[in-house]
Amino acid sequence: MRRILTNSPLSLLGYAYGTLVGLVWGFIWSTGRVERRGGLFIFRGMPEWTFGRGGACVGACYLTNTNVTDDVLEHEAVHKQQWRTFGLLFPILYALEGFNPLTNRFEIEAGLEKGGYLRKTRGSRRQS
């Protein structure tokens, strides 16, 4: 069953659908620059109520107001891959993990420092 639901044509279909939803949502609400970088469609200038926290990844779309740094985009690229792996199961699995980023395995995998959830430790390189 797991082969059918993850890294499969079914999960790819869910990822494509999520990306379509993200594209439509982004094009409707974005008032800023839209670009494609590292496989992510980045929609800036989104109203705060159109996404959670500092931004949201939906399929291959990153929806945010101004939260676009190299670190954040690396973090969001991991979420993009999680969408690709799990398809439409991803938002369900994410919710089941809980919305505390410090205990959510998907946020931990994407990198808590790069996502802005933890302060950078000494020795971490600094980017902006």
Side-chain angles (χ1 to χ4, degrees):
M1 182 68 146
R2 187 173 185 174
R3 280 190 197 152
I4 295 170
L5 299 176
T6 63
N7 284 320
S8 70
L10 186 59
S11 62
L12 180 59
L13 185 62
Y15 166 73
Y17 180 77
T19 299
L20 178 63
V21 169
L23 287 169
V24 169
W25 194 249
F27 280 119
I28 288 172
W29 296 109
S30 176
T31 61
R33 193 167 101 202
V34 178
E35 67 179 303
R36 185 147 192 219
R37 199 170 5 152
L40 279 172
F41 293 96
I42 303 163
F43 292 89
R44 301 172 197 237
M46 300 287 292
E48 297 287 330
W49 60 268
T50 63
F51 59 88
R53 295 190 191 126
C57 183
V58 181
C61 300
Y62 175 54
L63 311 165
T64 188
N65 186 355
T66 59
N67 191 22
V68 182
T69 64
D70 289 342
D71 279 349
V72 166
L73 293 180
E74 285 181 40
H75 176 90
E76 297 304 326
V78 175
H79 288 320
K80 176 185 161 257
Q81 185 55 47
Q82 292 165 339
W83 266 97
R84 173 57 190 93
T85 299
F86 298 104
L88 289 176
L89 281 178
F90 178 61
I92 296 165
L93 295 171
Y94 187 100
L96 289 173
E97 283 289 316
F99 293 96
N100 178 350
L102 301 179
T103 59
N104 182 302
R105 77 179 181 101
F106 298 106
E107 292 296 346
I108 294 166
E109 181 181 326
L112 296 174
E113 284 184 358
K114 288 187 184 280
Y117 298 114
L118 294 178
R119 291 184 120 182
K120 291 192 176 285
T121 59
R122 288 181 186 224
S124 293
R125 64 183 187 159
R126 191 175 195 188
Q127 293 182 4
S128 56

